[in-house]
Amino acid sequence: MSSLPAFGRVWTPEDVLAIHAGGRRAELLDGALLLSPAPSRRHQMVCRRLAVLLEAAAEDARVDCVVYENINVRQDDDFTRPDVVVVAGAAARAGEESDEDDVWLDPEHVLLAVEIVSPGQAGRDGVDKLEK
């Protein structure tokens, strides 16, 4: 990725969590902070419909999994928020039973991550985040 770190510094996942606590949407790729507005209504509708279809397909196939929308995934120092994420049921239940405030998923528990490419964000959504 060719982005320069915002505000002349390298950002950390903890910085992103603090930004989330303030109500902003943020992601972190290669130390660069990526801020974005809330997705459009159409984008949100597509995410929800896809999540519902995935849940129904998993139930019909008797696959033990959980479908999340817009949840944090942390890989090393990168911190992304795919639009839809499918996680193995056992991993999801283990996170629910944890005493920790599990604000992100570890990538090894992710079975499927979907990024719906928004107009104007094709490079970031379809290239930079896909590499991670």
Side-chain angles (χ1 to χ4, degrees):
M1 192 170 107
S2 60
S3 298
L4 295 174
F7 308 108
R9 63 177 279 206
V10 174
W11 295 79
T12 67
E14 289 71 24
D15 294 328
V16 174
L17 290 175
I19 291 168
H20 287 181
R24 300 286 312 250
R25 293 175 46 88
E27 295 178 287
L28 185 64
L29 290 176
D30 296 328
L33 181 66
L34 306 172
L35 299 174
S36 60
S40 69
R41 288 181 286 175
R42 181 177 180 191
H43 187 105
Q44 291 181 50
M45 182 180 63
V46 170
C47 289
R48 185 69 201 132
R49 287 182 177 172
L50 178 59
V52 168
L53 288 170
L54 288 168
E55 287 171 339
E59 186 175 319
D60 288 347
R62 299 183 192 272
V63 174
D64 182 24
C65 66
V66 176
V67 179
Y68 294 103
E69 292 177 66
N70 195 33
I71 193 165
N72 303 313
V73 177
R74 182 176 179 175
Q75 182 171 351
D76 301 321
D77 287 332
D78 290 329
F79 200 95
T80 59
R81 295 179 87 171
D83 292 310
V84 179
V85 175
V86 179
V87 178
R93 284 188 297 280
E96 291 171 359
E97 295 168 2
S98 169
D99 289 336
E100 296 179 23
D101 187 14
D102 57 340
V103 294
W104 65 71
L105 297 171
D106 293 322
E108 61 267 16
H109 298 139
V110 175
L111 302 175
L112 174 70
V114 177
E115 189 64 45
I116 297 167
V117 179
S118 301
Q121 298 294 327
R124 186 182 80 186
D125 289 347
V127 178
D128 294 336
K129 289 169 76 173
L130 182 61
E131 290 176 356
K132 297 299 173 179

